[in-house]
Amino acid sequence: MQKIQNYINGQLVSSASGEYLENVEPATGKIYSLIPESNSDDLDAAVAAAEAIQNDWAHTSLEKRADILCRLADLIDSNADALAKAEAIDNGKAISFAKAVDIYRSSANIRFFAQAGTQFSSESHAMGNLAINYTLRDPIGIVGCISPWNFPLYLFTWKIAPALASGNVVIAKPSEVTPMTAYLFSKLCIEAGLPAGVLNILHGSGQSIGGPLTTHPKIKAISFTGGSATGAHISKVTAGMFKKLSLELGGKNPTLVFADCDFEETVNEVVKAAFSNQGQICLCGSRIYIERPIYEQFKTAFIAKVKSLRIGDPLDPNTQHGATVSEAHLNKVLSYIELAQQEGGTILTGGKRHIESGRCQNGYFVEPTVVEGLDNQCRTNQEEIFGPVCSIMPFDKEQEAIQLANGTEYGLAASIWTNDLKRAHRVAKSIEAGIVWINCWLLRDLRTPFGGVKSSGVGREGGLEAMRFFTEPKNVCIKY
Ligand code: NAP
């Protein structure tokens, strides 16, 4: 059985405890590799390695840092097929999606921030004839990056790339549920010549290694992406330690479909927004509000499109809808489908575990599910399911649509579908979210601020926001 290893001080090593967790392939339900269950001893070793190289890396020229990072991005590209396959096996996502989205974006993240590091600049503020201020932006030192399982390498690189490009040394923890591509990435770091200790990757559970990482006194900043409950826990346990925190958390995103939208394009894109990656994207639109005049027509076309999604073995290049990530998550999603019915919802399509034949007969597949007839306040419409389940509801007035959209504790993203220019801007301005898409979904420019409001998080990632998060500003004032 393949044993995943930690990456500490440039070496691939076992965990100090020698303990391993089982890693399951979601499409088959079979254990296929072992993950080191790291603890504070591994963390201490990683912190020591990071501390030893911290100064050197901070003073390595911007160009050299960028060169090394670009080599890493090139290595991801030249290993794209193997990485996409590994992601599909580890996560259950369709291999075509893994290649086009996850792996493509992983190298794009690294290349983008390698360049951002060379372009980043700080401010100066002149005080007339009296003085001038300039602001230094230095690396923070040792930073922690914790990422979730839904986009394993994509979100892992999204965090470590700006941290490294801005001169920090990093201790990263991928999700224990999907550790494989971060492990393969550590091998690429060795091949790319990343100096030992600059990046350390510790595998294991949230409890055993995630917790100690967030509270380690030498780790000065934490960039976390995951669930809102875990984010709240991290805020609590680090309160009083004065760490910099960036928290990218859950979502329960609204999709607003107005009667004047481009009908066919909207149907196609709203299906993608609800079900891409088996609905396991923090940005998925799982509450779909449709203006009443087109409600029935939209519903019919939407259901037909959802029914046409090809469910199957994630390794089949024709598969569009793979497995959910774990047995626990499968059960969570199924329990929400049950709840939706108890709350008075009608299942229009889906609603069950999908059983494949052959290799994937024990896989954790859930049919893409559409529910109708729920009240906005019910739990199904309020809580993040993070699976292939969406709820459709009619609305009459623009103001009502805005209220419905804003009526949850979350505020990550929204999409608006309309050809009325003024309304598009008006509604976008009124939506409580960090990201609003108009007539599109998940169209990403890496320079833009990314993150949420309310329970969806604190702080922003992306572009300059990430470079600012991973640097400490110091103002210097000189009197003339
Ligand atoms: P999670 O359970 O909160 O876990 C996220 C990461 O935190 C994992 O690496 C996890 O490790 C670790 N962790 C767990 N407990 C911890 C603790 N006490 N201290 C430190 N780290 C701890 O979230 P998930 O189930 O992996 O991911 C799904 C969630 O992520 C959804 O809510 C989704 O909306 C959100 N998400 C948000 C964004 C965004 O940008 N806003 C993007 C993607 C996903 P283990 O896996 O080993 O437990």
Side-chain angles (χ1 to χ4, degrees):
M1 173 102 35
Q2 185 180 11
K3 280 186 174 167
I4 285 172
Q5 289 178 296
N6 285 335
Y7 173 56
I8 302 176
N9 203 17
Q11 310 279 323
L12 297 173
V13 292
S14 310
S15 65
S17 69
E19 283 175 27
Y20 285 87
L21 304 167
E22 291 170 340
N23 190 24
V24 173
E25 178 181 4
T28 62
K30 290 195 181 128
I31 299 160
Y32 83 103
S33 60
L34 297 172
I35 316 159
E37 175 68 315
S38 309
N39 62 25
S40 298
D41 294 334
D42 304 286
L43 180 59
D44 287 342
V47 168
E51 222 174 2
I53 192 79
Q54 178 177 342
N55 232 6
D56 277 7
W57 185 247
H59 293 105
T60 297
S61 71
L62 298 176
E63 292 74 17
K64 182 144 188 230
R65 289 207 294 253
D67 277 354
I68 296 173
L69 289 172
C70 285
R71 270 209 297 278
L72 255 172
D74 292 346
L75 282 167
I76 291 179
D77 287 343
S78 55
N79 288 280
D81 287 335
L83 287 166
K85 188 172 177 195
E87 208 69 294
I89 292 172
D90 214 26
N91 173 279
K93 65 177 69 202
I95 193 163
S96 55
F97 186 87
K99 181 130 189 237
V101 180
D102 293 69
I103 306 308
Y104 163 77
R105 249 299 286 280
S106 301
S107 62
N109 285 340
I110 296 186
R111 213 167 269 120
F112 173 84
F113 282 111
Q115 290 158 358
T118 64
Q119 306 297 314
F120 189 42
S121 58
S122 60
E123 315 85 64
S124 76
H125 297 90
M127 298 170 72
N129 288 332
L130 184 62
I132 186 155
N133 297 270
Y134 64 88
T135 306
L136 294 173
R137 283 198 167 264
D138 292 323
I140 295 170
I142 309 179
V143 301
C145 295
I146 302 179
S147 47
W149 50 256
N150 65 324
F151 281 117
L153 191 61
Y154 170 138
L155 288 174
F156 183 82
T157 49
W158 178 238
K159 292 188 175 301
I160 62 154
L164 295 173
S166 50
N168 299 282
V169 286
V170 178
I171 315 237
K173 189 199 104 57
S175 170
E176 109 200 20
V177 184
T178 52
M180 187 56 84
T181 47
Y183 168 58
L184 298 176
F185 180 77
S186 53
K187 295 185 177 185
L188 300 184
C189 290
I190 296 170
E191 201 178 330
L194 188 71
V198 165
L199 171 67
N200 302 275
I201 304 174
L202 301 178
H203 296 275
S205 65
Q207 201 178 11
S208 177
I209 186 63
L213 200 160
T214 53
T215 51
H216 196 289
K218 289 193 173 162
I219 298 180
K220 299 294 180 200
I222 303 287
S223 174
F224 170 83
T225 297
S228 298
T230 316
H233 174 79
I234 291 173
S235 294
K236 229 176 277 166
V237 296
T238 57
M241 300 182 86
F242 307 111
K243 288 176 195 274
K244 244 180 156 181
L245 284 187
S246 168
L247 302 172
E248 300 298 335
L249 309 176
K252 185 77 181 176
N253 310 299
T255 300
L256 305 185
V257 180
F258 287 90
D260 64 357
C261 67
D262 287 329
F263 188 83
E264 217 166 296
E265 187 189 342
T266 304
V267 171
N268 290 339
E269 294 303 308
V270 172
V271 170
K272 275 192 210 152
F275 295 108
S276 289
N277 207 36
Q278 295 70 250
Q280 302 168 133
I281 306 181
C282 56
L283 306 161
C284 274
S286 55
R287 296 182 290 136
I288 304 169
Y289 303 101
I290 304 152
E291 201 171 5
R292 202 174 301 272
I294 61 159
Y295 182 80
E296 289 300 327
Q297 188 198 355
F298 190 91
K299 175 172 117 182
T300 306
F302 184 70
I303 299 297
K305 183 84 194 166
V306 173
K307 280 188 169 158
S308 76
L309 292 173
R310 283 188 299 274
I311 311 183
D313 187 340
L315 296 183
D316 178 341
N318 294 316
T319 291
Q320 292 173 307
H321 188 92
T324 51
V325 78
S326 66
E327 189 171 18
H329 197 56
L330 166 85
N331 290 331
K332 176 186 158 183
V333 174
L334 292 175
S335 77
Y336 269 104
I337 295 174
E338 176 98 37
L339 175 71
Q341 290 164 287
Q342 285 163 13
E343 290 184 319
T346 304
I347 307 291
L348 298 178
T349 184
K352 295 190 301 297
R353 180 173 182 173
H354 167 85
I355 306 293
E356 271 285 299
S357 54
R359 185 184 100 83
C360 297
Q361 60 185 345
N362 295 318
Y364 311 137
F365 297 87
V366 180
E367 294 172 344
T369 299
V370 181
V371 190
E372 181 187 44
L374 289 172
D375 177 67
N376 208 44
Q377 290 312 308
C378 71
R379 284 182 53 207
T380 311
N381 275 334
Q382 290 291 318
E383 297 174 15
E384 186 185 40
I385 301 173
F386 212 54
V389 182
C390 71
S391 166
I392 61 169
M393 288 157 279
F395 71 87
D396 292 298
K397 294 260 168 4
E398 180 184 309
Q399 202 50 41
E400 179 196 358
I402 293 168
Q403 268 168 14
L404 291 165
N406 289 340
T408 74
E409 63 167 299
Y410 293 103
L412 186 56
S415 69
I416 302 166
W417 302 84
T418 179
N419 273 311
D420 180 334
L421 183 66
K422 285 187 180 174
R423 173 164 55 210
H425 289 298
R426 205 165 49 228
V427 177
K429 176 104 176 96
S430 308
I431 293 285
E432 295 165 358
I435 303 150
V436 177
W437 281 290
I438 297 171
N439 297 328
C440 58
W441 175 76
L442 202 55
L443 189 53
R444 294 278 293 116
D445 179 328
L446 304 190
R447 294 168 299 177
T448 59
F450 181 93
V453 299
K454 305 198 294 194
S455 297
S456 292
V458 180
R460 292 291 182 275
E461 296 185 330
L464 291 176
E465 302 281 345
M467 300 303 284
R468 290 197 185 109
F469 175 78
F470 283 115
T471 51
E472 197 65 80
K474 181 197 288 171
N475 191 67
V476 179
C477 177
I478 314 156
K479 191 166 181 285
Y480 292 134

